[in-house]
Amino acid sequence: NLDVQDLVEKEDIFSLICMLRVQQNEKRLDAAMALMRFARDAERGNKEKGRLREEILSSGGLHSLLTLFRTRNILYKLKIVTCLAVAYVLPSFESSSHPSSSLDLKIVECLRYLASADESVTHNDETVTRAEMFEAFARALTTFWVNHLEPLLNARKAATVASLKSNELTRSVFSSR
């Protein structure tokens, strides 16, 4: 019987994340919307909300949001709000602390869904426009690429080059005998 508004006022991130798992779509939507607002406010420069965005990530919020996104038969607006929350949380995501190709694919799938959104979403008199969705998508994808995927690809490329050089060195040592 937790009231989402009370949790928002208390900035109880963990309880809001837990509410993403309840059966009532309305409560899940309220919780996802609250988490999305906290993360969005951080994206817009609110330092206090930046702390809350970090807390969303460190409390498992990204994983919970992605799990909710991948749930079958959920409301369109719940799925969109969940994708927006993921998009706004991503700037706090650090690749070194979360190495997982499975997680990467879930994030990309979620962002792709957000980019393909075809209508605005309204909940409790708050409208999220397609323009906001596309802007959130673009920033999240750029941030995810620069902070996570590009370093990961560069590290793999460096490992491949080192392996090739090692093989060349081995061949040259043995061929000179």
Side-chain angles (χ1 to χ4, degrees):
N1 285 341
L2 294 174
D3 179 45
V4 172
Q5 192 54 40
D6 289 341
L7 298 175
V8 169
E9 288 171 13
K10 294 176 185 173
E11 297 181 340
D12 187 347
I13 299 299
F14 185 75
S15 294
L16 287 168
I17 291 169
C18 290
M19 289 195 71
L20 296 174
R21 297 174 188 263
V22 300
Q23 294 301 312
Q24 300 92 351
N25 278 329
E26 197 66 24
K27 288 211 183 255
R28 291 193 298 187
L29 182 55
D30 290 342
M33 194 78 166
L35 293 168
M36 185 272 295
R37 276 191 221 106
F38 285 141
R40 179 181 64 194
D41 291 348
E43 182 69 14
R44 293 179 177 167
N46 184 319
K47 299 282 187 206
E48 174 59 21
K49 300 304 184 216
R51 178 189 62 79
L52 295 175
R53 180 171 64 184
E54 296 287 337
E55 189 176 338
I56 292 168
L57 188 62
S58 68
S59 297
L62 181 61
H63 291 280
S64 294
L65 289 162
L66 289 168
T67 298
L68 180 58
F69 163 73
R70 295 180 59 122
T71 301
R72 295 186 191 273
N73 301 322
I74 65 170
L75 301 171
Y76 171 79
K77 66 181 175 179
L78 177 54
K79 202 164 199 159
I80 290 297
V81 169
T82 300
C83 290
L84 276 168
V86 168
Y88 287 126
V89 167
L90 273 179
S92 294
F93 180 78
E94 294 182 21
S95 62
S96 60
S97 60
H98 302 87
S100 164
S101 59
S102 171
L103 181 62
D104 296 346
L105 291 175
K106 290 175 187 173
I107 290 170
V108 169
E109 178 186 0
C110 183
L111 293 178
R112 187 184 72 68
Y113 186 86
L114 185 60
S116 67
D118 56 0
E119 58 187 75
S120 299
V121 170
T122 300
H123 180 65
N124 293 340
D125 298 325
E126 182 176 346
T127 299
V128 178
T129 64
R130 288 181 68 211
E132 180 180 350
M133 291 178 212
F134 293 143
E135 182 179 334
F137 159 77
R139 286 180 182 215
L141 186 61
T142 301
T143 301
F144 190 57
W145 175 264
V146 169
N147 294 340
H148 182 70
L149 294 177
E150 187 177 34
L152 183 67
L153 293 172
N154 286 339
R156 288 185 179 166
K157 180 181 174 185
T160 302
V161 168
S163 175
L164 291 173
K165 286 183 179 180
S166 174
N167 289 342
E168 284 180 29
L169 180 62
T170 302
R171 272 184 281 192
S172 69
V173 167
F174 287 110
S175 65
S176 64
R177 289 183 177 183

